[in-house]
Amino acid sequence: APAAIHPAGSLGIASAAALLLLIAGMFVMKSGKQKREAELVTELAAQADKPGTTEVAITNATLQLLLKAATKTESDTDLQKIARILAVAKATDGTDVDERTAAFVTKTPGLSPLAQEIIVRDALRERNNPVIMPSMLELISSSDKPTLVVVGLQSIRQIAGDDEFTTFLSLIEKR
């Protein structure tokens, strides 16, 4: 005769099965969320690449998603897509895209120099907003990467006013 399963053993098996189902469900939800995020980036990139596009509407959450995506890729092409979206992004909820993006480039630990360079060169320089000046001056003065210094200088060259001109010149002189 087959051995009877002890009730405590059945409970343990049921608990283990429930835990496995929970873990599998969380994995499926996470991969589904990542897929939706990737699709949103692709959709926004398509909007940004349409000829004549000067604005792509985004929210704070969308900006956060784009910046997070920039930290997760080393692909030149993907970073350029993200930067193109950022270059024409217009917040619909009052989010300061320029300030947040500039702070992201200078203060995000582990952000690759390539991502920093592409976002500054292809997004912030294109947006040409004086609000990026403090972050770009910080980037220029603290970076040991010549390419970052160059793109940082280029991003503020056109917007440096009288107040920033002395600082701008002293940074160039140090380099």
Side-chain angles (χ1 to χ4, degrees), residues 65-111:
L65 179 134
L66 291 168
L67 298 177
K68 184 174 95 174
T71 64
K72 293 183 175 187
T73 185
E74 286 294 320
S75 162
D76 243 8
T77 305
D78 290 346
L79 288 168
Q80 288 171 355
K81 282 180 188 177
I82 292 166
R84 175 65 186 135
I85 298 164
L86 292 172
V88 294
K90 176 154 177 65
T92 58
D93 60 2
T95 299
D96 190 331
V97 174
D98 297 301
E99 190 174 317
R100 291 268 313 279
T101 304
F104 169 77
V105 167
T106 57
K107 296 182 181 358
T108 301
L111 183 63

Side-chain angles (χ1 to χ4, degrees), residues 3-165:
I5 298 179
H6 191 276
S10 296
L11 186 59
I13 292 171
S15 295
L19 183 60
L20 285 174
L21 283 173
L22 180 65
I23 292 170
M26 288 177 16
F27 178 74
V28 168
M29 284 178 25
K30 184 176 181 180
S31 65
K33 181 181 177 190
Q34 289 172 338
K35 184 178 178 186
R36 286 189 304 277
E37 289 174 352
E39 288 170 351
L40 178 59
V41 171
T42 300
E43 179 185 314
L44 291 172
Q47 287 178 30
D49 284 339
K50 285 182 184 172
T53 298
T54 58
E55 291 182 359
V56 171
I58 66 164
T59 63
N60 180 44
T62 307
L63 177 60
Q64 194 61 34
L65 179 134
L66 291 168
L67 298 177
K68 184 174 95 174
T71 64
K72 293 183 175 187
T73 185
E74 286 294 320
S75 162
D76 243 8
T77 305
D78 290 346
L79 288 168
Q80 288 171 355
K81 282 180 188 177
I82 292 166
R84 175 65 186 135
I85 298 164
L86 292 172
V88 294
K90 176 154 177 65
T92 58
D93 60 2
T95 299
D96 190 331
V97 174
D98 297 301
E99 190 174 317
R100 291 268 313 279
T101 304
F104 169 77
V105 167
T106 57
K107 296 182 181 358
T108 301
L111 183 63
S112 74
L114 178 64
Q116 289 176 301
E117 178 185 345
I118 290 173
I119 292 170
V120 170
R121 182 190 70 216
D122 297 349
L124 293 173
R125 184 171 70 184
E126 179 82 17
R127 293 179 69 85
N128 201 29
N129 186 334
V131 76
I132 71 167
M133 186 75 70
S135 293
M136 291 303 97
L137 291 173
E138 180 183 330
L139 179 70
I140 293 163
S141 62
S142 67
S143 181
D144 60 350
K145 307 256 183 290
T147 55
L148 285 178
V149 172
V150 169
V151 297
L153 287 169
Q154 289 172 339
S155 72
I156 62 173
R157 182 179 62 192
Q158 303 164 10
I159 56 177
D162 293 342
D163 294 341
E164 297 86 18
F165 195 68

